[in-house]
Amino acid sequence: SRAMGKLKKTQKFAKVKRMLTPKDARLKENQEKLEKKNKEAEAKKVHNVAKPPVDMFFSYNASLGPPYHILVDTNFINFSIQNKLDLMKASMDCLLAKCTVYITDCVMGELEKLGSKYRVALRIAKDKRFERLPCAHKGTYADDCLVERVTQSRCYIVATCDRDLKRRIRKVPGVPIMYIAQRRFSIERLPDGGFGAPAV
């Protein structure tokens, strides 16, 4: 039985010795072959490139023009109240043209969540002069909704005072940003430029 035990141990040891070491050249060759195969497969793949919008001429957006369509963010309504500015009147004073103000469902949802402190903003958002835009997505995070909307159809001006949202909108070519400066509305990146307060 001792001999059998020794024999078994020897066989086991021999099996281990027959295994390849990680530094074995044959393994390296296999790895190189696999990498080459993966590269070839990647090269054959058809990559989908997003088509630029038809109404864009480089960064010039031809779909922007009176009457202007303004997408309003939650904080823009609050800042308008603080600066005693009427959304409709101040927008028309800034753009010197007729404007349509749009309030999305998620902006309304955000205002409702903020509670009684923002009841004035909520009452203003419910103004019948403003158009309501229904949202099909889940949740009430307005920033993602606004970015998605302007990426899909670039006929809007985004009204916001939020730095992060401004940064995200600037990455979308041809979408102007409306903000508040010197107690009046001003515009950034509108093709004809020179509206409202001077850029700060």
Side-chain angles (χ1 to χ4, degrees):
S1 63
R2 277 183 188 177
M4 283 293 285
K6 277 182 183 177
L7 183 66
K8 277 179 185 174
K9 278 181 183 176
T10 313
Q11 281 179 343
K12 197 175 180 184
F13 178 70
K15 275 180 187 173
V16 173
K17 279 196 86 171
R18 281 201 297 272
M19 282 172 71
L20 290 170
T21 61
K23 290 179 182 177
D24 194 289
R26 284 170 290 174
L27 268 180
K28 202 175 179 184
E29 280 174 24
N30 289 344
Q31 284 175 351
E32 283 171 2
K33 280 178 188 174
L34 190 68
E35 280 173 18
K36 195 180 177 183
K37 195 178 179 183
N38 288 344
K39 278 180 184 177
E40 283 172 4
E42 191 67 32
K44 283 177 185 177
K45 271 185 188 176
V46 178
H47 297 285
N48 290 327
V49 181
K51 287 182 180 179
V54 183
D55 47 15
M56 291 289 291
F57 180 73
F58 295 100
S59 62
Y60 182 89
N61 190 350
S63 67
L64 286 168
Y68 292 102
H69 305 286
I70 303 165
L71 272 178
V72 179
D73 185 28
T74 313
N75 64 19
F76 194 81
I77 301 168
N78 297 330
F79 280 108
S80 299
I81 295 162
Q82 284 172 27
N83 288 281
K84 296 180 173 68
L85 293 165
D86 178 79
L87 270 172
M88 210 71 168
K89 187 181 180 298
S91 299
M92 288 196 282
D93 288 347
C94 172
L95 296 163
L96 308 171
K98 194 182 174 186
C99 302
T100 309
V101 176
Y102 293 93
I103 310 278
T104 61
D105 283 351
C106 47
V107 167
M108 199 65 89
E110 275 188 5
L111 286 167
E112 283 167 3
K113 276 185 180 177
L114 291 166
S116 60
K117 195 182 173 184
Y118 294 91
R119 64 180 183 274
V120 179
L122 184 62
R123 197 169 71 236
I124 285 168
K126 286 177 178 175
D127 193 316
K128 287 178 181 177
R129 294 177 299 166
F130 307 151
E131 298 277 336
R132 278 292 293 273
L133 287 176
C135 296
H137 61 83
K138 289 178 181 178
T140 56
Y141 187 56
D143 290 15
D144 288 349
C145 173
L146 297 177
V147 171
E148 199 178 313
R149 277 183 193 275
V150 295
T151 307
Q152 286 170 358
S153 53
R154 301 185 192 186
C155 61
Y156 296 108
I157 293 168
V158 179
T160 184
C161 295
D162 189 307
R163 276 186 184 178
D164 292 331
L165 182 57
K166 277 184 182 179
R167 201 177 294 123
R168 288 175 71 183
I169 298 292
R170 283 185 191 117
K171 289 176 184 175
V172 185
V175 179
I177 300 163
M178 186 178 272
Y179 58 97
I180 298 169
Q182 298 170 16
R183 292 191 171 272
R184 55 178 174 165
F185 291 178
S186 193
I187 199 91
E188 178 188 307
R189 300 206 308 174
L190 193 71
D192 297 317
F195 296 98
V200 287

